[in-house]
Amino acid sequence: MDHTPQSAYAHLRDTHPRWFRTPSGDGAISIMRWPMTEGQVLHRDEDHLVLEDPVVLPDGQHARRLRLLAARPEPQVAVLPLLEGGVVLTDRFRHATRTWHWEIPRTTGVDGLADADQAARHMQAQLGTQVLELVGLGRVHADAEVLAEPVCLYAARIDAVGAVAHGEGIRRARTVPFAEAEEMAMTGQITDATTIAALFRARRTGLAG
């Protein structure tokens, strides 16, 4: 069915009410509802939704806020590959920043696959390798100001790196000692928040080295 940006937004409110809930308590930013005003669906594809929400700020002012949501129920998955005591980082071009980033493999959700299965599949797709052991590292919000959905973090022990996914913007993979990866994060060579969070949690879980 074709919708205007406003009617598509109203349809989402009716079909996905959890996306529009406001928690109880002071200080929350609430979303206004028609007939006061209506939001808009600015973009929609098979992976993402971009919403413009009409909101009421804690001081009573009205404003508009953008949100990026996943169109699929399965969350994003990011995997910290561990190889021979080191960390495998990919050198990947990101369109939003228009530059290269050292980061760990990450993917959008795949319909019908559990998080752990997505992680294993992703290692094969991006690094051409099989997972020997998978360890959950919890979830993280990479940018809670705009990105609505969390990323599921995993660490994966692998035994080799195969062909990288050049078609996804990865030009090479590099294995570095865990402490060196942490130093890259400290000195700004790694700026990807999801990668930094995975390194921190892996260290705290006892997986470093």
Side-chain angles (χ1 to χ4, degrees):
M1 179 183 298
D2 292 330
H3 294 285
T4 66
Q6 292 80 11
S7 65
Y9 185 93
H11 178 70
L12 284 177
R13 277 198 289 103
D14 292 338
T15 56
H16 295 78
R18 70 178 183 86
W19 288 351
F20 301 89
R21 285 197 291 255
T22 301
S24 59
D26 295 334
I29 297 174
S30 61
I31 299 177
M32 289 185 284
R33 295 177 63 89
W34 186 91
M36 297 173 62
T37 186
E38 188 60 281
Q40 296 189 68
V41 178
L42 300 181
H43 172 79
R44 181 170 193 166
D45 59 32
E46 64 180 7
D47 293 322
H48 301 106
L49 286 161
V50 180
L51 304 185
E52 182 187 68
D53 297 307
V55 301
V56 180
L57 303 178
D59 63 2
Q61 294 189 65
H62 293 185
R64 295 259 167 176
R65 290 289 186 269
L66 296 181
R67 280 192 293 165
L68 177 63
L69 295 93
R72 298 171 177 171
E74 294 80 10
Q76 286 193 35
V77 172
V79 186
L80 179 72
L82 303 175
L83 176 62
E84 297 176 349
V87 175
V88 180
L89 300 172
T90 61
D91 191 13
R92 187 170 186 175
F93 190 86
R94 288 299 189 181
H95 169 66
T97 59
R98 303 302 301 159
T99 192
W100 297 91
H101 293 270
W102 287 110
E103 60 180 59
I104 61 175
R106 183 164 70 248
T107 185
T108 55
V110 178
D111 289 340
L113 279 184
D115 301 342
D117 294 332
Q118 290 186 50
R121 173 175 170 171
H122 198 46
M123 286 292 91
Q124 177 63 46
Q126 289 206 357
L127 293 180
T129 188
Q130 300 293 321
V131 170
L132 304 178
E133 180 187 6
L134 199 62
V135 180
L137 298 176
R139 296 188 175 198
V140 65
H141 285 90
D143 184 355
E145 182 178 9
V146 175
L147 304 178
E149 308 299 336
V151 180
C152 294
L153 298 180
Y154 286 92
R157 298 192 189 279
I158 60 177
D159 61 1
V161 174
V164 301
H166 292 291
E168 296 188 30
I170 300 173
R171 62 180 174 183
R172 55 180 168 156
R174 176 187 174 194
T175 304
V176 301
F178 200 101
E180 183 177 339
E182 292 175 310
E183 184 65 19
M184 291 173 68
M186 286 292 295
T187 58
Q189 297 174 71
I190 296 175
T191 60
D192 176 62
T194 301
T195 299
I196 294 170
L199 287 169
F200 170 78
R201 291 198 180 169
R203 166 69 72 177
R204 298 291 292 179
T205 306
L207 296 174

